[in-house]
Amino acid sequence: MDSAVGAQRYMSSSGVAQLATDYEIDGSSNRFANPCLKNLSSDSFLRTSHPIGPIMFALDVLSRIIHVGTAITLVGGSAFMLMVLLPSAKLISDEAHQTLAQAVTGRWKRFIHGGILLFLLSGFYNYMRAIPNHKGDGLYHGLLGVKMLLAFTIFFLASALVGRSAAFEGIRQKRAKWLKVIVLFAAIIVGISGFVKVRGPSINAVDANAVAPIDSSDTPEPQPATAE
Protein backbone atom coordinates (compact mmCIF):
# COMPACT_ATOMS: atom_id res chain seq x y z
CA MET A 1 0.00 0.00 0.00
CA ASP A 2 1.47 3.29 -1.06
CA SER A 3 1.67 6.03 1.53
CA ALA A 4 2.63 9.70 1.53
CA VAL A 5 3.93 11.93 4.26
CA GLY A 6 1.82 15.04 4.81
CA ALA A 7 2.75 18.02 6.93
CA GLN A 8 -0.20 19.97 8.20
CA ARG A 9 0.20 23.15 10.24
CA TYR A 10 -2.67 24.36 12.35
CA MET A 11 -2.71 27.97 13.49
CA SER A 12 -5.62 29.58 15.37
CA SER A 13 -7.04 32.94 14.19
CA SER A 14 -5.15 34.69 17.01
CA GLY A 15 -1.83 33.43 15.57
CA VAL A 16 -0.73 32.08 18.99
CA ALA A 17 -1.94 28.48 19.40
CA GLN A 18 0.09 26.51 16.86
CA LEU A 19 0.58 22.84 16.14
CA ALA A 20 3.00 21.63 13.49
CA THR A 21 3.66 17.92 12.97
CA ASP A 22 4.03 15.25 10.32
CA TYR A 23 1.75 12.26 10.00
CA GLU A 24 1.76 9.31 7.65
CA ILE A 25 -1.46 9.26 5.63
CA ASP A 26 -2.94 6.06 4.27
CA GLY A 27 -3.25 6.74 0.55
CA SER A 28 -6.23 4.46 0.02
CA SER A 29 -8.48 5.73 2.82
CA ASN A 30 -7.09 9.29 3.11
CA ARG A 31 -6.92 8.81 6.88
CA PHE A 32 -4.04 9.31 9.29
CA ALA A 33 -2.11 6.14 10.08
CA ASN A 34 -1.34 7.40 13.58
CA PRO A 35 -3.64 5.36 15.89
CA CYS A 36 -4.48 8.44 17.97
CA LEU A 37 -5.93 10.06 14.83
CA LYS A 38 -7.33 7.00 13.09
CA ASN A 39 -10.85 8.46 13.05
CA LEU A 40 -9.69 11.70 11.46
CA SER A 41 -9.42 12.15 7.73
CA SER A 42 -6.88 14.62 6.37
CA ASP A 43 -9.74 16.75 5.03
CA SER A 44 -11.45 17.03 8.41
CA PHE A 45 -8.12 17.91 10.02
CA LEU A 46 -7.64 20.76 7.57
CA ARG A 47 -11.09 22.14 8.34
CA THR A 48 -10.02 22.96 11.90
CA SER A 49 -7.82 25.78 10.61
CA HIS A 50 -10.82 28.14 10.33
CA PRO A 51 -9.64 30.11 7.28
CA ILE A 52 -10.87 33.70 7.44
CA GLY A 53 -10.82 34.16 3.69
CA PRO A 54 -9.04 36.73 1.53
CA ILE A 55 -11.57 39.52 2.11
CA MET A 56 -11.46 39.30 5.91
CA PHE A 57 -7.69 38.97 5.79
CA ALA A 58 -7.44 42.16 3.71
CA LEU A 59 -9.76 43.99 6.11
CA ASP A 60 -7.73 42.83 9.11
CA VAL A 61 -4.50 44.07 7.53
CA LEU A 62 -6.05 47.39 6.46
CA SER A 63 -7.55 48.00 9.89
CA ARG A 64 -4.23 47.24 11.58
CA ILE A 65 -2.37 49.61 9.27
CA ILE A 66 -4.88 52.41 9.88
CA HIS A 67 -4.83 51.88 13.65
CA VAL A 68 -1.05 51.82 13.99
CA GLY A 69 -0.52 54.58 11.43
CA THR A 70 -2.98 56.87 13.21
CA ALA A 71 -1.31 56.20 16.56
CA ILE A 72 2.11 57.04 15.12
CA THR A 73 0.81 60.30 13.66
CA LEU A 74 -1.06 61.54 16.73
CA VAL A 75 1.37 60.41 19.41
CA GLY A 76 4.40 61.43 17.36
CA GLY A 77 2.88 64.84 16.69
CA SER A 78 2.12 65.38 20.36
CA ALA A 79 5.65 64.34 21.37
CA PHE A 80 7.12 66.70 18.75
CA MET A 81 5.08 69.62 20.05
CA LEU A 82 6.07 68.88 23.65
CA MET A 83 9.78 68.27 23.18
CA VAL A 84 10.63 70.38 20.12
CA LEU A 85 8.05 72.99 19.17
CA LEU A 86 7.16 74.45 22.58
CA PRO A 87 10.77 74.85 23.78
CA SER A 88 11.73 76.42 20.45
CA ALA A 89 8.77 78.81 20.50
CA LYS A 90 10.08 80.37 23.71
CA LEU A 91 12.98 81.83 21.74
CA ILE A 92 10.78 84.04 19.55
CA SER A 93 8.79 87.17 20.38
CA ASP A 94 5.32 86.95 21.92
CA GLU A 95 3.67 88.25 18.77
CA ALA A 96 5.43 85.69 16.59
CA HIS A 97 4.66 83.03 19.20
CA GLN A 98 0.94 83.74 19.02
CA THR A 99 0.97 83.71 15.24
CA LEU A 100 2.83 80.40 15.19
CA ALA A 101 0.52 78.87 17.81
CA GLN A 102 -2.62 79.78 15.86
CA ALA A 103 -1.18 78.42 12.60
CA VAL A 104 -0.06 75.16 14.20
CA THR A 105 -3.31 74.64 16.08
CA GLY A 106 -5.40 75.35 12.98
CA ARG A 107 -3.64 72.62 11.03
CA TRP A 108 -3.10 70.15 13.87
CA LYS A 109 -6.79 70.08 14.82
CA ARG A 110 -7.61 68.47 11.47
CA PHE A 111 -5.27 65.60 12.27
CA ILE A 112 -6.71 65.30 15.78
CA HIS A 113 -10.35 65.14 14.71
CA GLY A 114 -9.71 62.85 11.73
CA GLY A 115 -7.33 60.68 13.72
CA ILE A 116 -9.80 60.17 16.56
CA LEU A 117 -12.44 59.06 14.06
CA LEU A 118 -10.08 56.58 12.37
CA PHE A 119 -8.86 55.36 15.74
CA LEU A 120 -12.39 54.65 16.95
CA LEU A 121 -13.43 52.86 13.75
CA SER A 122 -10.32 50.70 13.45
CA GLY A 123 -10.18 50.06 17.20
CA PHE A 124 -13.79 48.86 17.28
CA TYR A 125 -13.17 46.57 14.31
CA ASN A 126 -10.00 45.14 15.88
CA TYR A 127 -11.86 44.61 19.14
CA MET A 128 -14.67 42.67 17.47
CA ARG A 129 -12.16 40.50 15.63
CA ALA A 130 -10.01 39.79 18.69
CA ILE A 131 -12.57 39.30 21.43
CA PRO A 132 -13.70 35.76 20.40
CA ASN A 133 -10.13 34.56 21.02
CA HIS A 134 -10.10 35.89 24.59
CA LYS A 135 -13.26 34.43 26.12
CA GLY A 136 -12.74 34.00 29.84
CA ASP A 137 -9.39 35.82 29.75
CA GLY A 138 -9.77 38.17 32.70
CA LEU A 139 -6.32 39.73 32.42
CA TYR A 140 -6.86 40.60 28.76
CA HIS A 141 -10.22 42.24 29.43
CA GLY A 142 -8.84 44.16 32.40
CA LEU A 143 -5.89 45.51 30.43
CA LEU A 144 -8.15 46.31 27.50
CA GLY A 145 -10.44 48.31 29.80
CA VAL A 146 -7.49 50.32 31.13
CA LYS A 147 -6.28 50.91 27.59
CA MET A 148 -9.69 52.21 26.48
CA LEU A 149 -10.00 54.56 29.46
CA LEU A 150 -6.56 56.01 28.76
CA ALA A 151 -7.37 56.37 25.07
CA PHE A 152 -10.59 58.27 25.73
CA THR A 153 -8.73 60.55 28.17
CA ILE A 154 -6.18 61.29 25.44
CA PHE A 155 -8.96 62.02 22.96
CA PHE A 156 -10.53 64.50 25.39
CA LEU A 157 -7.29 66.30 26.20
CA ALA A 158 -6.17 66.46 22.57
CA SER A 159 -9.54 67.88 21.52
CA ALA A 160 -9.49 70.42 24.33
CA LEU A 161 -6.00 71.62 23.37
CA VAL A 162 -7.02 72.36 19.77
CA GLY A 163 -10.52 73.59 20.56
CA ARG A 164 -11.88 77.06 21.24
CA SER A 165 -14.31 76.38 24.08
CA ALA A 166 -13.89 78.82 26.96
CA ALA A 167 -14.58 75.97 29.40
CA PHE A 168 -11.25 74.38 28.48
CA GLU A 169 -9.16 77.54 28.36
CA GLY A 170 -7.42 76.44 31.56
CA ILE A 171 -6.18 73.31 29.80
CA ARG A 172 -4.85 75.34 26.89
CA GLN A 173 -3.06 77.72 29.26
CA LYS A 174 -1.11 74.73 30.62
CA ARG A 175 -0.46 73.13 27.25
CA ALA A 176 2.94 71.67 28.16
CA LYS A 177 1.54 69.96 31.27
CA TRP A 178 -1.31 68.25 29.43
CA LEU A 179 0.89 67.29 26.50
CA LYS A 180 3.08 65.45 29.01
CA VAL A 181 -0.01 63.61 30.26
CA ILE A 182 -0.96 62.68 26.69
CA VAL A 183 2.51 61.34 25.89
CA LEU A 184 2.67 59.43 29.19
CA PHE A 185 -0.75 57.82 28.70
CA ALA A 186 0.17 56.98 25.10
CA ALA A 187 3.35 55.26 26.29
CA ILE A 188 1.31 53.18 28.75
CA ILE A 189 -1.10 52.21 25.97
CA VAL A 190 1.80 51.14 23.77
CA GLY A 191 3.15 49.04 26.64
CA ILE A 192 -0.21 47.35 27.23
CA SER A 193 -0.70 46.71 23.51
CA GLY A 194 2.75 45.18 23.18
CA PHE A 195 2.21 42.95 26.21
CA VAL A 196 -1.18 41.54 25.16
CA LYS A 197 0.03 41.08 21.57
CA VAL A 198 3.06 39.03 22.60
CA ARG A 199 1.25 37.21 25.41
CA GLY A 200 -1.63 36.14 23.18
CA PRO A 201 -4.75 34.40 24.51
CA SER A 202 -4.67 32.61 27.84
CA ILE A 203 -4.34 28.83 27.86
CA ASN A 204 -8.04 28.45 28.66
CA ALA A 205 -9.00 30.67 25.72
CA VAL A 206 -6.74 28.70 23.39
CA ASP A 207 -8.19 25.39 24.57
CA ALA A 208 -11.71 26.67 23.96
CA ASN A 209 -11.07 28.03 20.48
CA ALA A 210 -8.15 26.12 19.03
CA VAL A 211 -9.89 23.10 17.54
CA ALA A 212 -13.30 23.13 15.90
CA PRO A 213 -15.73 20.23 16.39
CA ILE A 214 -15.21 17.38 13.98
CA ASP A 215 -17.99 16.65 11.55
CA SER A 216 -19.48 13.29 12.41
CA SER A 217 -19.69 12.51 8.71
CA ASP A 218 -15.89 12.21 8.67
CA THR A 219 -15.84 9.37 11.21
CA PRO A 220 -16.21 5.81 9.96
CA GLU A 221 -19.34 3.84 10.73
CA PRO A 222 -18.75 0.98 13.21
CA GLN A 223 -18.50 -2.38 11.42
CA PRO A 224 -20.00 -5.55 12.85
CA ALA A 225 -17.55 -8.23 13.92
CA THR A 226 -17.18 -11.08 11.48
CA ALA A 227 -15.92 -14.58 12.06
CA GLU A 228 -12.53 -15.43 10.65
Side-chain angles (χ1 to χ4, degrees):
M1 181 182 297
D2 294 334
S3 64
V5 176
Q8 307 298 341
R9 177 178 294 271
Y10 167 77
M11 181 175 288
S12 69
S13 59
S14 66
V16 177
Q18 178 175 301
L19 174 64
T21 186
D22 291 337
Y23 291 101
E24 183 181 1
I25 301 176
D26 188 331
S28 62
S29 62
N30 198 33
R31 294 188 178 277
F32 292 101
N34 188 313
C36 296
L37 299 173
K38 61 183 179 180
N39 291 331
L40 272 177
S41 70
S42 60
D43 293 337
S44 67
F45 188 77
L46 285 172
R47 279 202 294 272
T48 64
S49 61
H50 299 295
I52 61 176
I55 296 179
M56 292 304 300
F57 177 78
L59 288 175
D60 286 353
V61 172
L62 179 61
S63 178
R64 181 64 58 181
I65 292 173
I66 291 175
H67 201 71
V68 174
T70 303
I72 292 173
T73 302
L74 297 186
V75 176
S78 298
F80 172 80
M81 290 174 59
L82 173 64
M83 293 181 281
V84 178
L85 184 60
L86 290 184
S88 300
K90 295 178 181 179
L91 303 178
I92 60 179
S93 64
D94 291 340
E95 182 179 354
H97 190 176
Q98 291 297 326
T99 302
L100 177 64
Q102 291 177 2
V104 170
T105 301
R107 295 183 65 86
W108 182 237
K109 68 190 301 183
R110 303 173 188 172
F111 288 90
I112 292 295
H113 296 158
I116 290 175
L117 177 61
L118 291 176
F119 223 96
L120 290 174
L121 292 176
S122 59
F124 179 75
Y125 176 85
N126 293 339
Y127 170 81
M128 296 302 296
R129 293 287 292 148
I131 208 64
N133 299 320
H134 295 276
K135 293 179 180 179
D137 190 349
L139 178 59
Y140 174 84
H141 292 287
L143 291 174
L144 186 63
V146 173
K147 179 181 172 182
M148 293 175 66
L149 288 176
L150 293 176
F152 282 115
T153 302
I154 290 176
F155 294 161
F156 166 74
L157 291 175
S159 299
L161 288 174
V162 298
R164 297 181 178 180
S165 174
F168 303 127
E169 183 62 30
I171 294 178
R172 289 190 291 274
Q173 291 297 329
K174 300 180 179 179
R175 187 177 300 273
K177 171 185 175 181
W178 294 112
L179 280 174
K180 291 178 182 177
V181 173
I182 289 175
V183 172
L184 174 62
F185 283 5
I188 296 174
I189 290 175
V190 170
I192 293 175
S193 299
F195 173 78
V196 298
K197 186 67 176 178
V198 174
R199 169 184 177 266
S202 66
I203 296 177
N204 292 336
V206 170
D207 291 342
N209 296 294
V211 180
I214 302 171
D215 192 340
S216 59
S217 63
D218 291 322
T219 59
E221 295 293 336
Q223 301 296 327
T226 57
E228 292 292 338

